[in-house]
Amino acid sequence: MFRKIGTVVFSLVVTANVFAQEPVWDGNKVILESQKLASDVFAVIPSDAGEKAPNGYPIATTGGFVIGNDGVLVVESMLNERLAKQVISLVKKETSKPIKYVVNTSAHGDHSYGNYVFPDSVAVIQHVNAKQYIDSHFKQDTEFMMQYFGKGRGIEEVVPRTGDVLIPKDGKIAIDLGGKTVEIQDYGFAQTGGDLFVSVPADNVIWTGNPVVSTDPAFPWLLDGHLVETLATMRYVYGLTDAKTVVVPGHGPVTDRSAIKWHVDYLSAVRDAVKGAIAKGMSLEETVAAVQLPEYQGYALHGWVHSGLNVPAAYKDLSGKH
């Protein structure tokens, strides 16, 4: 479900040798740091995120944690044991309270493979679709991830561990950590049909997962298509924020709602341009060639995400030619 279109596109990385046969980012080298966002609320950010983001370079997974009187909730368990242990270590630097929950914002391995590193007492929170995907496609998924992230990056050792607490379609739960309440919600189809947004309403902080990749110039990946639904969801999420909202994207530095707006604007531009091409009777191939959107070409992955994934997905969604 989560890889139908993505597998084709990611294979282009290897075929085109875009990154000289190296992983887009190396799970054996990433260093994670914590960043305080509010009292007892922290982001977990790759140390090179601030340097890479302005140039649109790929960045490792971001996450975070929230500390309450009774325990801690972690957002994202990361790609491998090495990175999961870094997250646990960052938590221990701030508190001796136990980790009680870990949330995966999606089924993607760089957000969920580290689940098995956390103690059995920790409850894993996932979207029901994420659990179903991992339960039925784990071996296939790890093989795919090793192609993309490289072998010898700890993926071979991952033991599948799926959700203890499941969020249904359009569902929402609130976790009371004691003095801190964390809300976890499915706002609709975003990057996939199993994305979760995590927020601390009292502190105006939100983790978006992959639906907001990073700051400008990065833009969304329509991994499962559904341009129209994704755009509607992102507009809705943008409407939930204000100028003071702290946004932690899926793969980038801490930012504000302007990153969400950038993603909405990009999707809107793709929609309008592809609609125009369809109205002129253009084929898929002609549409891909015509819809270049130069104002969004600062993203280092523009060529193969925009032309190889997003425009074809939009064409199929808007034309009904699936």
Side-chain angles (χ1 to χ4, degrees):
M1 173 177 123
F2 293 97
R3 300 289 194 261
K4 289 187 297 183
I5 299 173
T7 302
V8 176
V9 174
F10 286 136
S11 68
L12 295 177
V13 179
V14 178
T15 303
N17 202 24
V18 174
F19 295 101
Q21 297 181 338
E22 290 295 319
V24 174
W25 51 265
D26 193 335
N28 287 344
K29 297 179 180 179
V30 173
I31 302 298
L32 298 174
E33 301 174 340
S34 63
Q35 179 178 341
K36 189 171 184 178
L37 308 179
S39 175
D40 294 325
V41 180
F42 297 83
V44 172
I45 308 291
S47 60
D48 58 1
E51 174 187 348
K52 287 185 172 182
N55 297 310
Y57 294 146
I59 299 168
T61 314
T62 58
F65 57 93
V66 181
I67 304 169
N69 296 328
D70 302 327
V72 180
L73 179 145
V74 168
V75 183
E76 314 295 23
S77 65
M78 305 298 170
L79 176 70
N80 57 23
E81 179 179 1
R82 175 182 176 272
L83 294 173
K85 285 184 174 179
Q86 285 190 43
V87 174
I88 293 170
S89 177
L90 290 171
V91 172
K92 287 182 177 179
K93 286 181 180 179
E94 301 296 338
T95 182
S96 60
K97 292 169 184 172
I99 297 174
K100 300 186 73 173
Y101 305 94
V102 59
V103 182
N104 305 146
T105 60
S106 75
H108 295 176
D110 57 307
H111 296 256
S112 65
Y113 280 173
N115 289 348
Y116 80 102
V117 180
F118 288 77
D120 292 342
S121 58
V122 176
V124 175
I125 302 174
Q126 289 179 330
H127 194 285
V128 63
N129 289 347
K131 175 177 171 57
Q132 290 173 355
Y133 177 80
I134 296 169
D135 285 344
S136 60
H137 292 83
F138 180 73
K139 185 175 185 298
Q140 171 190 346
D141 193 71
T142 55
E143 290 172 352
F144 161 79
M145 292 293 281
M146 281 186 280
Q147 177 185 2
Y148 183 43
F149 288 96
K151 294 184 178 180
R153 268 74 180 187
I155 298 172
E156 296 91 337
E157 288 76 40
V158 173
V159 177
R161 180 178 175 187
T162 53
D164 304 296
V165 179
L166 301 179
I167 312 297
K169 183 179 183 298
D170 300 323
K172 172 184 175 181
I173 63 170
I175 302 291
D176 184 357
L177 296 172
K180 286 286 184 183
T181 298
V182 180
E183 294 185 355
I184 305 158
Q185 186 156 354
D186 170 15
Y187 288 117
F189 200 101
Q191 190 185 73
T192 72
D195 293 296
L196 295 175
F197 292 80
V198 182
S199 64
V200 184
D203 295 306
N204 205 2
V205 175
I206 184 169
W207 285 265
T208 67
N210 288 339
V212 178
V213 179
S214 185
T215 52
D216 169 2
F219 51 64
W221 299 28
L222 298 176
L223 285 177
D224 283 353
H226 301 273
L227 167 77
V228 174
E229 288 182 80
T230 300
L231 178 54
T233 298
M234 297 314 297
R235 279 179 168 166
Y236 181 78
V237 172
Y238 179 74
L240 297 175
T241 65
D242 59 36
K244 295 182 179 180
T245 302
V246 178
V247 175
V248 185
H251 292 269
V254 174
T255 183
D256 56 30
R257 73 194 302 238
S258 64
I260 306 176
K261 182 64 163 51
W262 173 262
H263 282 53
V264 169
D265 289 348
Y266 168 78
L267 292 172
S268 299
V270 170
R271 178 203 58 195
D272 294 346
V274 172
K275 269 188 175 181
I278 292 171
K280 294 176 182 177
M282 290 186 181
S283 67
L284 171 58
E285 292 74 18
E286 290 170 333
T287 300
V288 169
V291 179
Q292 292 300 310
L293 300 185
E295 64 271 36
Y296 294 97
Q297 290 184 7
Y299 190 18
L301 306 182
H302 176 277
W304 57 275
V305 177
H306 175 75
S307 299
L309 174 62
N310 291 352
V311 174
Y315 185 90
K316 293 172 185 177
D317 197 23
L318 295 167
S319 67
K321 296 180 179 179
H322 292 282

